[in-house]
């Protein structure tokens, strides 16, 4: 693997815009550390006609360092692809070419040619899975030399959503503002105004049978702009977690975590929440979630009422065995 930021060619592959931009930023920063007067040219396919690359990479009278960034390289014209392939065979000194490529079948010939030429490659995959975003948040904290609890990382993903730029910005703000280990309470304070504004807090209070607190959290969430569909998703996850743990064989949290696909801390939390539940109650709660989900997706006239009804039903189901 080539880790030289000033390698003649860097190939950034994927569709995650933040990671692509970081790949460019890192190369530019390294080039400017070597030469503060580095010339940076950031180009799109429509700005690269036949011969343009040769012109940009021709020797300079002053031998200046240059970074040439080509975005959406998969969309380059056939003539320009020929120019790039020719350049890959004999890259110029003091010039770093950065090719940003989506990584699909389109333009694969150029992708293969860059790899064959020994380009330094940076993976920039789209992060579509919650687990990927959670790993990203953990990596951001580690990269900034700070520790955050698993619950804090999960709460941040729950509160911010799928936008990596917003997640990275949130991590940076927490690291700048908070001393010591960052925990779930800190995340709740910063990104939900109060902990109850989180959709997952609505779900937690409901499955614990705390109807009044769940309704208060629900109203606060809706007032602060949390999408109703996010709340039904959290409710579904909360009830499903109880159902999965109820039907699982007993064992240590680490063993159950592997079996059920939950982190150990989540197993401990769900164990505490499931004390008043029965299998029949889980079925009732899942039906309530399904009805609420249909209600917030256009099947009803009042999404807020659909959510309130689901929260109350779930909280009652949670008390089906009574609570101490």
């Amino acid at each position: 693997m080539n880790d030289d930021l000033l390698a003649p060619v860097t190939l950034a592959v994927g569709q995650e815009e933040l990671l692509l931009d970081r790949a460019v930023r890192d190369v530019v920063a390294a080039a400017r550390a070597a030469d503060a007067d580095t010339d940076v040219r950031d180009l799109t396919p429509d700005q690269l006609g036949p011969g343009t690359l040769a012109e940009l990479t021709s020797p300079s009278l002053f031998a200046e360092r240059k970074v040439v960034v080509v975005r959406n390289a998969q969309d380059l014209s056939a003539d320009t692809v020929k120019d790039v392939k020719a350049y890959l065979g004999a890259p110029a000194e003091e010039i770093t070419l950065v090719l940003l490529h989506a990584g699909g079948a389109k333009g694969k010939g150029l992708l293969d040619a860059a790899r064959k030429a020994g380009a330094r490659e940076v993976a920039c995959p789209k992060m579509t899975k919650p687990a990927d975003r959670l790993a990203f948040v953990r990596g951001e904290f580690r990269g900034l030399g700070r520790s955050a609890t698993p619950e804090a990382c999960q709460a941040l993903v729950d509160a911010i959503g799928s936008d990596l730029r917003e997640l990275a910005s949130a991590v940076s703000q927490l690291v700048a503002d908070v001393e010591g280990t960052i925990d779930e309470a800190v995340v709740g304070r910063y990104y939900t105004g109060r902990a109850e504004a989180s959709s997952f807090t609505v779900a937690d209070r409901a499955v614990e049978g705390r109807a009044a607190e769940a309704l208060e959290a629900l109203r606060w969430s809706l007032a602060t702009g949390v999408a109703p569909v996010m709340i039904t998703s959290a409710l579904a996850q909360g009830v499903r977690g109880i159902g999965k743990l109820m039907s699982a064989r007993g064992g240590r949290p680490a063993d159950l975590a592997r079996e059920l696909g939950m982190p150990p801390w989540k197993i401990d939390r769900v164990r505490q929440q499931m004390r008043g539940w029965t299998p029949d109650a889980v079925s009732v709660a899942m039906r309530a979630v399904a009805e609420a989900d249909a209600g917030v997706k256009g099947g009803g006239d009042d999404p807020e009422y659909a959510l309130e009804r689901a929260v109350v039903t779930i909280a009652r189901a949670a008390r089906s065995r009574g609570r101490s």
Side-chain angles (χ1 to χ4, degrees):
M1 180 179 177
N2 187 350
D3 291 327
D4 181 9
L5 288 167
L6 295 180
V9 181
T10 285
L11 179 64
V13 184
Q15 299 179 47
E16 189 56 70
E17 291 296 329
L18 173 66
L19 301 182
L20 291 167
D21 286 346
R22 283 185 173 180
V24 173
R25 180 200 66 190
D26 291 346
V27 171
V28 170
R32 287 186 167 152
D35 180 355
D37 295 325
T38 294
D39 181 22
V40 179
R41 303 296 179 91
D42 198 325
L43 306 165
T44 54
D46 61 312
Q47 296 173 304
L48 274 169
T52 305
L53 183 63
E55 181 182 336
L56 288 170
T57 57
S58 60
S60 167
L61 179 63
F62 303 102
E64 67 181 349
R65 184 175 289 278
K66 187 179 292 185
V67 176
V68 178
V69 181
V70 179
R71 295 184 182 270
N72 299 312
Q74 73 278 356
D75 296 331
L76 291 172
S77 68
D79 287 338
T80 304
V81 168
K82 289 180 183 177
D83 289 349
V84 176
K85 286 182 177 180
Y87 178 81
L88 291 173
E93 291 186 14
E94 301 297 311
I95 292 177
T96 299
L97 175 66
V98 184
L99 298 174
L100 275 55
H101 193 292
K106 186 177 183 182
K108 189 172 184 298
L110 178 57
L111 192 62
D112 292 341
R115 286 169 171 161
K116 187 176 180 180
R120 168 182 171 264
E121 186 166 341
V122 182
C124 305
K126 197 74 176 174
M127 295 191 183
T128 57
K129 297 179 180 178
D132 293 337
R133 294 192 287 274
L134 187 58
F136 172 79
V137 168
R138 289 173 177 157
E140 290 292 290
F141 279 118
R142 280 197 304 270
L144 293 170
R146 295 293 297 278
S147 61
T149 66
E151 295 88 345
C153 294
Q154 184 65 61
L156 197 58
V157 172
D158 294 342
I160 302 297
S162 61
D163 191 311
L164 286 202
R165 291 183 191 279
E166 291 188 17
L167 284 169
S169 175
V171 170
S172 295
Q173 181 178 355
L174 287 168
V175 167
D177 291 357
V178 180
E179 295 183 359
T181 299
I182 293 159
D183 60 20
E184 186 179 14
V186 169
V187 174
R189 241 185 357 257
Y190 268 72
Y191 293 101
T192 59
R194 53 189 277 193
E196 287 80 12
S198 161
S199 58
F200 281 88
T201 301
V202 177
D204 284 342
R205 298 296 86 80
V207 299
E208 289 161 6
R210 295 153 66 177
E213 293 175 47
L215 287 170
E216 181 188 1
L218 170 65
R219 288 159 188 158
W220 186 275
S221 296
L222 294 171
T224 55
V226 175
V229 70
M230 293 288 290
I231 299 171
T232 56
S233 175
L235 290 170
Q237 288 188 46
V239 176
R240 273 200 302 267
I242 287 169
K244 287 166 69 175
L245 192 55
M246 188 178 292
S247 61
R249 296 184 301 274
R252 297 176 306 164
D255 297 329
L256 287 169
R258 284 191 293 273
E259 181 183 342
L260 303 179
M262 295 181 190
W265 65 265
K266 183 71 171 176
I267 297 288
D268 289 336
R269 175 179 288 180
V270 176
R271 268 181 168 162
Q272 294 173 358
Q273 293 173 335
M274 65 182 281
R275 289 174 187 158
W277 286 85
T278 65
D280 287 344
V282 171
S283 298
V284 169
M286 285 307 300
R287 283 197 297 273
V289 172
E291 290 172 3
D293 191 55
V296 303
K297 290 178 179 176
D301 297 328
D302 191 341
E304 183 174 341
Y305 173 70
L307 286 168
E308 288 185 356
R309 186 170 57 186
V311 163
V312 170
T313 301
I314 293 167
R316 285 176 179 165
R319 293 182 171 276
S320 56
R321 273 191 189 144
R323 283 183 175 270
S324 55

